[in-house]
Amino acid sequence: MLVDNAVEGDSRVQKTARSAADAGWDVTLIGCAHVDAERRWRLGDAEVRVLPLAAARATPPATASAVLSSPRGGASASGRDAGSRDGSGLRGVSGLRSVSGLRARLVARGGLPLRAARLARRPVEHAEVRFWRARLRDGAWRRLEPGLWDYERVAGPVVDDLRPDLIHAHDFRMLGVAARAVDRARAAGRDVKLIWDAHEWLPGARPRRDNARWLPAHLGYVREYVGHADAVVTVSDTLADLLVRDHALPERPTVILNAPIAATTETSAPDLRKRCGLPPDTPLLVYSGAMAVQRGVDTVVEALPLLPGAHLALVVADPAAAYVRQVVARAARHGVGDRVHVLPYVPHRQLVAFLATADIGLIPLHHWPNHEIALITKFFEYAHARLPIVVSDVRTMAETVRATGQGEVFRARDAADLARAVRAVLADPARYRAAYEGEDSPLPGWTWEAQAERLDALYRRLLTPIR
């Protein structure tokens, strides 16, 4: 399995690797991240290796250009393309260093000068996109986002050494790494199958970098390699339909929900409420997961002054991260700093029990295409913790909450309406928790065990010889 992060904190990837190993597969999970040195550990019976992405970029490996077939867009990774690590083919190193130094100073200074420089650069970036797409079509990522080669350089040789029968590539960056490894294996006479696990709808993703090149480059990258996949899996029915439409897939993707593990071997888990130092009768709201502006936690902080006595727990990957500190500072400015508690992640197999002592699970997302189409991981985690859910009016989750009665919906980015929804739940929590009980409960189908069975069946189908 391949993923473009450090594995820790990615519950879908961890569950996929561990459940596959539990089913008898020999699993090596390879992550790529900005770490100082390779890290290794075991996740159940699965081996995990996190490889360091070096800060300095190197030239793309020769194997990458040697085995690539021509993409549908007509471009190929020729030796000429691969020879320049930044994909530009430019000379004048001293000039480039001067530009790089100026960029570093602007980034360090931040604020208005950096924003002005980025705006001034935008017409140039759009021109770059038009030029390279006209010349290389889907292969334009080689010039627009050459950093994608870093994943190939780091993970490609490791995958080759492992000689896998099947590669499960998580998310979009690792699709190309997996496709090239499959091509190399087939050139050597070995038949390797490829599954692409599409975690999000890329056309609706928020660009990871503030430039005009990022999205068109990655869209072309996916279009170039999606045809290499023997099967596609994804996180929701809505996204499955979009992938069929966008890529003319011959087979509808298998939907593997981001559901939590129902049966856990953990005998004890920490108590969220105790970690916050709160008594049982204090209203406790929890937000668990990644922190970013579009996740809407600022709206929750703005609502806290309207909810006297209510506390907020933020369960995050890095409590010291810059944005987390900004949110805490905002809470202090609103006079509610003493009611915000920041805690680190717990192991994903403990998370449901950890969350269960809260009163409400929060999903305050802003409107963004990918937010509209999925039931995200924390939705299922809150549900299995039997927490009423207060969610913004993003389409799929709002519709589900209204249909099941498991919570309340508020207008995204509206603090007053969020406070209204929280008060409604706190006034009668048993009414909302009742949605999780009885024969109509959605929980039995919202388990990782059910998803793992579907994934195991897909693996077996792909690797069973056709007679």
Side-chain angles (χ1 to χ4, degrees):
M1 292 185 186
L2 303 176
V3 66
D4 65 344
N5 59 39
V7 176
E8 295 170 327
D10 193 328
S11 62
R12 179 181 180 87
V13 170
Q14 293 181 56
K15 289 180 293 189
T16 302
R18 186 163 186 163
S19 61
D22 289 346
W25 300 100
D26 183 6
V27 177
T28 301
L29 171 57
I30 298 172
C32 295
H34 292 285
V35 294
D36 294 333
E38 181 175 343
R39 299 175 182 174
R40 293 192 183 207
W41 69 94
R42 297 200 72 82
L43 199 59
D45 290 328
E47 180 183 12
V48 181
R49 298 178 61 181
V50 177
L51 309 176
L53 286 170
R57 293 176 177 175
T59 54
T63 52
S65 62
V67 301
L68 282 181
S69 57
S70 294
R72 289 187 296 180
S76 64
S78 66
R80 174 173 50 82
D81 285 349
S84 172
R85 184 61 189 89
D86 71 353
S88 66
L90 294 174
R91 300 297 184 264
V93 175
S94 61
L96 289 175
R97 286 175 179 166
S98 298
V99 173
S100 179
L102 174 61
R103 182 182 298 116
R105 290 194 297 274
L106 284 169
V107 170
R109 184 175 179 182
L112 185 59
L114 178 60
R115 290 195 296 272
R118 284 174 172 165
L119 286 173
R121 169 86 180 154
R122 202 54 54 88
V124 176
E125 293 169 352
H126 285 295
E128 289 174 331
V129 170
R130 289 193 297 270
F131 176 82
W132 288 116
R133 288 182 67 183
R135 185 173 177 184
L136 299 178
R137 287 180 274 184
D138 287 343
W141 64 267
R142 293 172 175 82
R143 298 299 203 264
L144 300 174
E145 279 290 325
L148 287 166
W149 281 121
D150 290 348
Y151 299 93
E152 171 66 36
R153 176 178 53 79
V154 170
V158 177
V159 176
D160 293 345
D161 289 344
L162 289 170
R163 298 173 61 85
D165 298 305
L166 182 148
I167 303 175
H168 185 141
H170 286 275
D171 227 341
F172 54 89
R173 287 194 184 99
M174 304 312 284
L175 174 60
V177 177
R180 292 187 287 264
V182 167
D183 281 347
R184 290 193 293 274
R186 290 175 180 171
R190 292 188 300 110
D191 185 23
V192 178
K193 302 299 184 183
L194 170 57
I195 292 177
W196 177 38
D197 194 331
H199 293 190
E200 63 182 332
W201 187 50
L202 187 55
R206 189 181 183 91
R208 308 295 199 271
R209 294 171 59 194
D210 186 15
N211 65 52
R213 300 185 303 271
W214 190 92
L215 187 56
H218 284 85
L219 289 173
Y221 178 78
V222 169
R223 284 193 298 266
E224 178 172 336
Y225 293 114
V226 68
H228 288 66
D230 296 286
V232 178
V233 301
T234 194
V235 299
S236 74
D237 287 306
T238 305
L239 184 48
D241 292 338
L242 289 171
L243 291 169
V244 171
R245 184 199 70 185
D246 290 351
H247 301 295
L249 299 179
E251 179 180 290
R252 191 172 187 272
T254 299
V255 174
I256 305 295
L257 298 174
N258 285 325
I261 297 168
T264 176
T265 58
E266 300 285 350
T267 57
S268 63
D271 185 304
L272 173 63
R273 184 174 290 273
K274 287 182 179 178
R275 289 220 171 154
C276 293
L278 300 176
D281 59 348
T282 296
L284 178 58
L285 321 178
V286 62
Y287 173 91
S288 173
M291 291 274 286
V293 172
Q294 67 270 21
R295 306 279 180 156
V297 179
D298 286 337
T299 307
V300 183
V301 170
E302 291 168 4
L304 277 181
L306 307 176
L307 296 165
H311 285 241
L312 170 65
L314 302 174
V315 182
V316 300
D318 180 7
Y323 182 66
V324 177
R325 295 199 307 270
Q326 290 175 24
V327 170
V328 171
R330 179 185 289 264
R333 290 196 298 272
H334 282 278
V336 295
D338 59 332
R339 292 196 273 138
V340 175
H341 311 267
V342 182
L343 301 102
Y345 282 163
V346 298
H348 74 87
R349 294 175 77 87
Q350 295 181 346
L351 183 57
V352 168
F354 180 61
L355 296 173
T357 54
D359 295 296
I360 292 174
L362 297 171
I363 305 177
L365 296 173
H366 294 177
H367 287 292
W368 197 261
N370 270 311
H371 295 166
E372 308 290 341
I373 64 177
L375 295 171
I376 60 177
T377 303
K378 68 171 63 66
F379 180 93
F380 296 111
E381 291 165 346
Y382 293 160
H384 278 271
R386 268 64 171 184
L387 296 183
I389 295 175
V390 170
V391 62
S392 63
D393 54 350
V394 289
R395 189 181 74 196
T396 300
M397 283 183 285
E399 289 175 352
T400 302
V401 164
R402 288 178 176 130
T404 61
Q406 69 193 100
E408 287 286 336
V409 177
F410 70 95
R411 289 185 298 275
R413 309 178 79 160
D414 187 331
D417 201 40
L418 188 155
R420 186 267 317 157
V422 168
R423 285 192 293 267
V425 172
L426 292 177
D428 189 6
R431 169 191 162 197
Y432 299 94
R433 291 180 186 268
Y436 300 126
E437 308 302 331
E439 58 184 37
D440 293 331
S441 169
L443 295 183
W446 289 352
T447 66
W448 184 256
E449 288 82 353
Q451 312 311 310
E453 288 181 4
R454 302 184 72 187
L455 196 55
D456 181 65
L458 178 60
Y459 288 174
R460 295 184 185 281
R461 176 170 68 82
L462 291 177
L463 293 175
T464 298
I466 299 175
R467 301 184 185 279

